[in-house]
Amino acid sequence: MGKAQPVGPLDTTVGYLLKQAEATIRGEMDAVLRPMDLSVPQYACLELLHQHAELSNAELARAAFVTRQSMNLVLRGLEDRGLVTRPDIAATGRARAAELTGSGRTLHARASVAVNEIERRMVTGLSRDDERRLVTALQACIANLVAPAVPVGDSGPASSGAA
Amino acid sequence: MGKAQPVGPLDTTVGYLLKQAEATIRGEMDAVLRPMDLSVPQYACLELLHQHAELSNAELARAAFVTRQSMNLVLRGLEDRGLVTRPDIAATGRARAAELTGSGRTLHARASVAVNEIERRMVTGLSRDDERRLVTALQACIANLVAPAVPVGDSGPASSGAA
DNA sequence: CAGATGTCAGAAATACTGATATGG
DNA sequence: CCCATATCAGTAGTTCTGACATCT
């Protein structure tokens, strides 16, 4: 797939712009990650483990917005390359906490530089206030969709209408 | 491991929030579209044809951020269900302009109501100014990534046909 | 038993690559 | 010849669904 170019002058919908922005940044990430033999989900996994040190497969899947099955495949690929480790047996329950290995941390460091550069480039021209407002607005949009569609004080899905 | 709480304490990055917002809205769209036997790409196709009346497969693919191959499959599925039509032979060149049929317009109307409701719910609580700024910021982010990363003293990616 | 997790299996949609052909 | 388009074929990564076992 080539570049993400808008077809027309009607791209003023938040939903469409979100999709376009996501597709664009994903393409950019894919481009810089490919030379390191990393897919976007794989990088997301490394980044999450970098920030949280220890996360189970299910936690990684939720945080990366993929299924447990997909994340499990990602995790295995990273394990086979010696970038992450998982104990053979769970310390508690069934969840085995994955963590970065030395080479995993090294590769993540290299990849994060490239990815952070994309992030930096993306917000170029936005003031601190603009960026702060963007983050706040996005968080609000997410919260609005996650929360039940009930604007007024209510604790339950009383009516399906809500339109 | 214990709690199944969202990992979420790192949601201050624009890129991560974009991904999360996209994943969330996609899930919502999928939920309301499924009863109509429509996938998100299929709805995107209907919506684009509704707005542009006539678009070729390649144009639809670019606008929906999918490959031509994928869009071709989507288009065929919609054609088989009598929702869109394509001339057997191209009026000019190889591009055959697809357009909605009567039932296609009907289904799109029904689907767009549900999708627009999601969009409306997503921006609930945002002022007109907030929403306008969000749109502007997203457009700026997209433009920043599409444009070449040439801050100053450009040496230019003159090499690599990139093709 | 309920809930979360891990894992396996099959079906499906999507994407990527390469190749071929046609029209401007 | 170059470029965009359409299409076919094969491969791969991802998702969904269902199922089953394990552990709290």
Side-chain angles (χ1 to χ4, degrees), chain B residues 51-68:
Chain B
Q51 293 186 18
H52 291 87
E54 289 191 351
L55 288 174
S56 72
N57 177 47
E59 289 171 327
L60 286 166
R62 280 192 298 269
F65 315 108
V66 301
T67 61
R68 282 175 302 173

Side-chain angles (χ1 to χ4, degrees), chain A residues 32-86:
Chain A
V32 301
L33 257 22
R34 195 189 333 269
M36 307 180 205
D37 279 301
L38 282 178
S39 67
V40 174
Q42 282 175 331
Y43 170 76
C45 188
L46 294 185
E47 176 65 25
L48 285 164
L49 288 176
H50 170 73
Q51 294 187 17
H52 290 86
E54 288 192 351
L55 288 174
S56 72
N57 176 49
E59 288 171 327
L60 285 167
R62 280 192 298 268
F65 313 108
V66 300
T67 61
R68 282 176 301 172
Q69 289 85 343
S70 296
M71 181 53 74
N72 204 13
L73 293 179
V74 169
L75 223 30
R76 284 188 193 183
L78 295 176
E79 260 189 301
D80 292 345
R81 289 166 60 182
L83 300 173
V84 308
T85 52
R86 275 192 293 181

